Amino acid sequence: MIRITLLVLIFLLGCSSSVETYKSGTSGEINVYVNKSADTSIALENNYVNSEWNLEDQLIERISNAEWQIDMAAYEINLPKLIDSLISKASQGVKVRFIIDAKDGTEDDEIDPNEKVDRYTSMRLNLERMKRGKDNIHGTQDDIQILADSPIFAVTDTTLRKRYDLPVSYDDYDFVTVKIGTKEKEGYLLIDSERKEADFSNLTNYYSPGYQMHNKFAIVDYQWIFTGSWNFTVTGLYGNEWNMERGILDGNQQHVVEIKHRGLANIYTMEFNEMWGSKNYLPDPSNSKFHTRKRDNTPKEVYIDSTRIEVYFSPSDGVLDKIYQVIEEEADSAIHFSIFAFSDQRLVDLMKYKWENNYNDLEGERTGFKIKGLFDRSFWNQWWSASIDMTGRTAKQTSPKNPNIRWKHPAPVYRGRESRKLHSKTMIIDDDIVIVGSANWSENADSKNDENTLIIYDKKIANQFLQEFYARYKNAASHVKK
């Protein structure tokens, strides 16, 4: 864990988006947390990663120390302790702004089919708890302000409302008939969202929840950033409620980076405000912009002492192009990666060229460049997955975007063997650079979803990620038939 305690240069939230780099001796702190084990035998001196770490407790610690404001963007949330901590801070006068994805989960590959309906119903009930605040009354000062990328309606089932200690009545929320995408829908509007321009129907017009607000980040007091692959859920950290009650970390494998740096926090706040539609405590749905409506308007680089950090947001910033550029220009000897879903053919082909000096199907000779990788098991055999090409297998089908360009010399990449999902989206380049964030390496993550990605140029941070990688890699490799 790297800790730097020098004075941080303060940047105003309203600074110009034309500024591209925060330098001038700015200092801060970078901490890496993983919820699984690590291979510390490869650690640099006094550089052990924070492994088998309770990510919820870490985030709650940051939240509990907040004095002014907490901004969070979450794909999903259902952790009772985390929700209670946010409600508690709001009751103490801390401003809490929260952005949530409105997708109902029916097409979500990250969620077990048997859990989808229950989890998204539960989330709506938890969101109402947050909206009502500690006094459980809508429209009072301790309410948490929430905005979504598409409208969310209140759960009206009386039994469920009682279970979540919500008032039986929900008519203090407006009953509305609105247009979402091309369909009319009615209900008690719990959470407002980005609005379209009015059309001939004279109904309030909203975008459909087809794309994902897939971020998982928090900004605390304009100085702490907490981000990574971890959705704020029971399955994401504990696996199930029984484990959660006992503090057993048997959820999906995750990576989190926590950074104290006002310049970086300012950049994340600019991105948050674009989705929020304002710089104020209350959101402005008429000015809000999610997904493809966002602009490329944030600085891209900060320095923490000598450590360079680049930050990119999808879909406005061309993240996959930047990752391609980093691999092409910076990768001289090795790439290690662990990824939930990887389908971008351009990245696969560039890695093939590094590996065997050839872009063509089943052609090339080994270069000495090292590649080791892990894929989540649910996508290991998908015809579009990079795992098919890298292992020289013939895909069951092809498409213009995924033509199945097989590697002549199969790379030592494996299917993850974790108890649940391998949920990270991380690449380590030459033991010096780490790419980490919420985005899978896919077209949807790059051109449709709201995502955030960090590129950290630091040998010690890279080494911490390698410690966790090798623990997962050895476990996966041990299951491969010789």
Side-chain angles (χ1 to χ4, degrees):
M1 178 169 59
I2 294 178
R3 293 194 175 274
I4 310 169
T5 57
L6 299 179
L7 180 66
V8 180
L9 183 63
I10 298 176
F11 289 91
L12 299 177
L13 292 178
C15 75
S16 170
S17 62
S18 64
V19 177
E20 290 300 321
T21 303
Y22 290 115
K23 290 186 178 179
S24 193
T26 53
S27 300
E29 183 176 320
I30 308 172
N31 303 318
V32 178
Y33 303 100
V34 299
N35 64 324
K36 300 296 182 181
S37 62
D39 180 0
T40 57
S41 68
I42 64 168
L44 299 175
E45 185 177 1
N46 298 321
N47 190 53
Y48 301 112
V49 67
N50 296 300
S51 60
E52 299 180 275
W53 206 264
N54 190 310
L55 306 178
E56 182 186 21
D57 287 350
Q58 186 64 38
L59 181 53
I60 288 174
E61 179 183 341
R62 289 287 161 240
I63 289 170
S64 67
N65 291 321
E67 297 181 4
W68 304 291
Q69 184 158 316
I70 300 165
D71 293 337
M72 288 184 67
Y75 179 60
E76 189 181 0
I77 186 170
N78 62 21
L79 288 163
K81 285 198 307 179
L82 178 58
I83 291 167
D84 288 344
S85 73
L86 291 167
I87 292 172
S88 176
K89 293 308 291 189
S91 74
Q92 297 168 24
V94 173
K95 293 181 179 180
V96 181
R97 305 190 300 174
F98 200 94
I99 292 175
I100 191 71
D101 180 73
K103 199 165 184 282
D104 63 10
T106 55
E107 299 178 2
D108 187 350
D109 291 328
E110 297 194 18
I111 297 177
D112 187 303
N114 297 321
E115 299 178 357
K116 288 180 179 179
V117 174
D118 288 345
R119 274 177 58 170
Y120 277 81
T121 299
S122 170
M123 189 176 77
R124 287 189 293 152
L125 291 160
N126 278 313
L127 291 172
E128 185 171 346
R129 286 185 59 223
M130 294 164 63
K131 282 275 290 185
R132 289 183 177 276
K134 194 170 185 178
D135 63 9
N136 213 9
I137 300 173
H138 171 55
T140 56
Q141 287 187 346
D142 69 345
D143 294 358
I144 292 174
Q145 298 300 317
I146 308 178
L147 187 74
D149 57 344
S150 191
I152 297 177
F153 295 91
V155 175
T156 58
D157 185 292
T158 302
T159 301
L160 289 175
R161 294 182 66 82
K162 288 180 178 178
R163 188 181 302 168
Y164 282 77
D165 295 322
L166 291 168
V168 173
S169 174
Y170 37 80
D171 59 7
D172 47 355
Y173 291 103
D174 293 334
F175 184 85
V176 298
T177 301
V178 298
K179 188 175 180 182
I180 303 177
T182 60
K183 298 179 180 180
E184 290 186 13
K185 187 170 182 177
E186 62 181 23
Y188 290 88
L189 184 63
L190 176 65
I191 298 172
D192 209 345
S193 69
E194 178 187 5
R195 295 178 185 173
K196 285 184 176 181
E197 294 182 2
D199 63 8
F200 64 90
S201 68
N202 293 320
L203 298 174
T204 305
N205 199 9
Y206 294 100
Y207 292 96
S208 67
Y211 300 157
Q212 296 177 353
M213 202 301 299
H214 198 243
N215 285 300
K216 320 96 167 36
F217 68 76
I219 313 162
V220 179
D221 283 349
Y222 310 117
Q223 62 178 341
W224 280 104
I225 295 297
F226 187 100
T227 189
S229 66
W230 174 49
N231 291 314
F232 309 132
T233 64
V234 175
T235 54
L237 185 58
Y238 301 105
N240 55 50
E241 292 186 0
W242 190 91
N243 287 340
M244 179 177 66
E245 292 169 0
R246 292 157 181 81
I248 299 171
L249 303 177
D250 194 30
N252 300 334
Q253 173 258 6
Q254 312 283 4
H255 290 158
V256 161
V257 178
E258 178 190 63
I259 302 175
K260 184 180 183 182
H261 188 272
R262 290 191 182 274
L264 186 63
N266 182 57
I267 294 171
Y268 270 85
T269 302
M270 292 169 67
E271 176 72 6
F272 185 98
N273 287 343
E274 184 173 25
M275 294 183 286
W276 195 247
S278 79
K279 298 178 182 178
N280 302 321
Y281 177 47
L282 297 178
D284 182 354
S286 297
N287 193 44
S288 167
K289 293 179 178 62
F290 287 86
H291 310 315
T292 56
R293 275 87 62 188
K294 293 190 308 185
R295 296 173 298 150
D296 179 3
N297 58 0
T298 55
K300 302 294 185 287
E301 188 177 81
V302 300
Y303 278 80
I304 298 181
D305 285 346
S306 60
T307 296
R308 173 178 156 206
I309 300 177
E310 296 176 12
V311 55
Y312 299 95
F313 300 100
S314 300
S316 58
D317 293 2
V319 177
L320 286 180
D321 284 345
K322 181 57 185 177
I323 294 175
Y324 184 96
Q325 180 183 347
V326 173
I327 295 173
E328 184 177 46
E329 297 178 0
E330 305 287 347
D332 295 323
S333 60
I335 290 175
H336 300 79
F337 68 88
S338 60
I339 186 67
F340 183 67
F342 182 2
S343 62
D344 187 80
Q345 190 68 44
R346 190 167 175 238
L347 288 185
V348 182
D349 291 347
L350 178 59
M351 291 169 71
K352 181 182 188 298
Y353 184 80
K354 294 280 186 178
W355 175 255
E356 55 189 12
N357 199 34
N358 197 289
Y359 288 105
N360 299 324
D361 182 49
L362 292 178
E363 295 181 10
E365 297 301 329
R366 285 287 289 113
T367 62
F369 189 91
K370 297 178 181 178
I371 291 178
K372 293 182 179 179
L374 293 171
F375 293 82
D376 181 70
R377 59 188 172 189
S378 60
F379 297 127
W380 175 253
N381 286 320
Q382 294 288 343
W383 65 269
W384 45 260
S385 176
S387 60
I388 300 294
D389 290 0
M390 287 182 168
T391 53
R393 290 178 287 163
T394 300
K396 296 178 181 178
Q397 66 184 85
T398 62
S399 73
K401 292 182 178 179
N402 295 105
N404 190 206
I405 301 175
R406 296 164 293 179
W407 294 20
K408 180 179 178 181
H409 304 277
V413 298
Y414 302 125
R415 172 171 45 189
R417 295 287 182 172
E418 304 307 305
S419 58
R420 291 184 66 88
K421 295 184 184 300
L422 184 92
H423 197 244
S424 55
K425 305 94 169 49
T426 302
M427 183 181 295
I428 306 145
I429 296 174
D430 285 1
D431 301 343
D432 295 320
I433 303 169
V434 173
I435 300 170
V436 62
S438 69
N440 294 300
W441 305 326
S442 66
E443 181 181 3
N444 281 352
D446 191 54
S447 63
K448 297 176 181 178
N449 298 344
D450 296 305
E451 312 269 10
N452 70 103
T453 298
L454 294 173
I455 304 177
I456 304 172
Y457 296 78
D458 188 281
K459 184 178 288 290
K460 288 185 176 180
I461 297 299
N463 177 256
Q464 291 183 23
F465 277 94
L466 276 173
Q467 292 169 44
E468 194 273 348
F469 171 83
Y470 270 106
R472 308 281 75 70
Y473 189 80
K474 288 178 181 178
N475 182 43
S478 68
H479 289 79
V480 176
K481 294 181 180 179
K482 303 298 182 182

